Amino acid sequence: MSDPDSNPIVALARHALTFSVADLDPGTRTAAQMIITDTLAVGLAGCNASYAQALRGVVDNWGTGGPCRVLGEGAGLPAASAAFMNAYQIHGQEFDCVHEAAVVHPMAAIMAAALADIDRAAQGTATTGISGAEFIATITAAVDVAIAVGLSAKAGLRFFRPATAGAFGAAAVVARLRGYSLETTVQTFGHLYSQLCGTMQAHTEGVAVLPMQIGFNARNAIIAADLAMAGISAPVDVIDGPFGYLELFEPGGSMQTPLKELAGERRIAQLAYKPYPTGRATHGGLAGLLSLCSENRIDAAQVKRVTLTGPPLIHRLVARPIHEGLPANYARLCMQYTGAVAILREGIGLFDFDNASLADDEIHTLANKITVVDDGSTDPNALAPQTVQIDLVDGSNVKQELHEIYGSPEQPLSLQQHESKVTHCCEFAGYAASADAIFEQGMQMAQLPDIGIWLAHAYAS
């Protein structure tokens, strides 16, 4: 191993392994319970995501008969395959939380890898041996790792950061669950880095493989941990080596500040929730449109034009044009489609991406009146400020400026809104009867003697 005092990956590994339940302050614990509960519900809804069933058929061809479960289903997969599927389901409908400054959705890879490895260890038994408090600490430490890697970036997205940075969090969570030593954890990171993948091309084209890139890396975290456990050597200078992460994935990046902040910043409390199952870059526009239409009693017939003005990242991620034959995964990242649905239906949810909606002429007509404008600012990762303006057919207009985006820590969902989202996800998955237990036990997770009590509500018996 290289000098531990100068190797960033050693610092990340040490944090993943040594962060304890005692390090959790009440605010972090509450935030973590909400995030973990939200993620489980979103992943459960993902069992009915576009391509989920087709993808499961592909995954079954990789091998079945293992003890690991997919959310919404029973056991039957090896750990690596279960991690892949659950990561896809968590991110596949663009409903999972995000760290806005890092532009990382950390929980998809982390939670998927954790669920798979917990099932692998439990081997079909009802108990996991992991208390709710320990699970919270484990997930919290892994999120710190993923966001530290994400915050190293100083430039815009080239690789799909939820997949690449999230992968380090997934490796951290598996190494901790398995009780690895510091050296074996560093080797796990080395094997993970050697498999790292996911670019922004899939996002640019709006194709279905985008969330699968997170799945590839959740799967690779399991494989990396297996390789490390077998004693097979891997590189150790994977962050700042000559061909390390900062050289190849985030040129010009630096881990200096994120590493300094590891001890004091709990990143899980900084995550923004997704109130809508759409790209986070649409959320400012959607919140603004819904607010303006409600406050001014505006309906679709009154709208002449809608203009969303925001930082370059907004334009880059969601300015894509609506078109015929619109697939759901493309539509979720299309401000024109999501904005039109929000105006016409006074909101947008999981049921608004069915085939009938995607082909709806009224939605398409209104969508073509929506434009996204780059404000020319220089921060390549900023999501705010944004301005939403609706020009009306009578010649008047209404406007709203947004400096915080709905769902962020500065403008959070209420507890009731959290519960409504869990219920919505469970209903979409056909698990409406599980909604109350998933939410109530999730909000009391720190008191659970075994996390298996809670997880059981999200799987078929």
Side-chain angles (χ1 to χ4, degrees), residues 192-378:
L192 182 282
Y193 178 69
S194 300
Q195 305 172 79
L196 207 58
C197 65
T199 77
M200 283 299 290
Q201 192 61 36
H203 194 294
T204 299
E205 297 186 23
V207 292
V209 78
L210 179 70
M212 296 177 203
Q213 295 182 139
I214 298 179
F216 299 148
N217 285 295
R219 175 197 64 192
N220 293 345
I222 299 290
I223 294 170
D226 291 345
L227 292 169
M229 183 167 57
I232 298 170
S233 62
V236 295
D237 292 322
V238 298
I239 297 295
D240 55 4
F243 302 101
Y245 186 82
L246 295 180
E247 182 66 26
L248 300 183
F249 288 82
E250 297 289 358
S254 171
M255 285 292 294
Q256 186 175 3
T257 299
L259 288 179
K260 285 181 179 178
E261 294 174 345
L262 268 180
E265 296 281 353
R266 298 287 70 81
R267 302 300 185 182
I268 201 164
Q270 300 172 358
L271 298 183
Y273 289 87
K274 290 278 198 74
Y276 318 114
T278 64
R280 183 61 177 164
T282 68
H283 281 205
L286 293 174
L289 285 173
L290 289 168
S291 175
L292 288 171
C293 289
S294 175
E295 292 171 5
N296 297 281
R297 298 183 180 179
I298 296 170
D299 61 32
Q302 298 171 271
V303 175
K304 178 180 180 181
R305 179 171 53 250
V306 172
T307 305
L308 171 64
T309 304
L313 187 62
I314 303 298
H315 187 273
R316 180 181 180 188
L317 296 183
V318 299
R320 60 186 58 180
I322 195 167
H323 59 73
E324 292 184 7
L326 195 68
N329 48 283
Y330 181 101
R332 294 179 192 281
L333 298 163
C334 174
M335 189 66 225
Q336 289 189 322
Y337 178 83
T338 58
V341 171
I343 294 170
L344 286 164
R345 300 180 179 178
E346 300 180 353
I348 185 165
L350 291 166
F351 294 96
D352 292 312
F353 294 88
D354 59 359
N355 290 334
S357 296
L358 292 168
D360 189 297
D361 288 340
E362 188 177 19
I363 292 174
H364 280 246
T365 298
L366 181 57
N368 282 306
K369 298 178 181 179
I370 299 174
T371 303
V372 181
V373 177
D374 183 341
D375 68 7
S377 60
T378 58

Side-chain angles (χ1 to χ4, degrees), residues 160-173:
F160 188 46
R161 211 171 288 152
T164 56
F168 285 92
V173 84

Side-chain angles (χ1 to χ4, degrees), residues 42 88 98 116 164 166 171 199 266 272 292 330 338 341 352 389 392 397 400 427 434:
V42 167
Y88 172 77
V98 60
T164 56
T199 77
R266 298 287 70 81
L292 288 171
Y330 181 101
T338 58
V341 171
D352 292 312
Q389 178 170 316
L392 304 175
N397 68 73
Q400 184 174 112
E427 288 175 346
S434 296

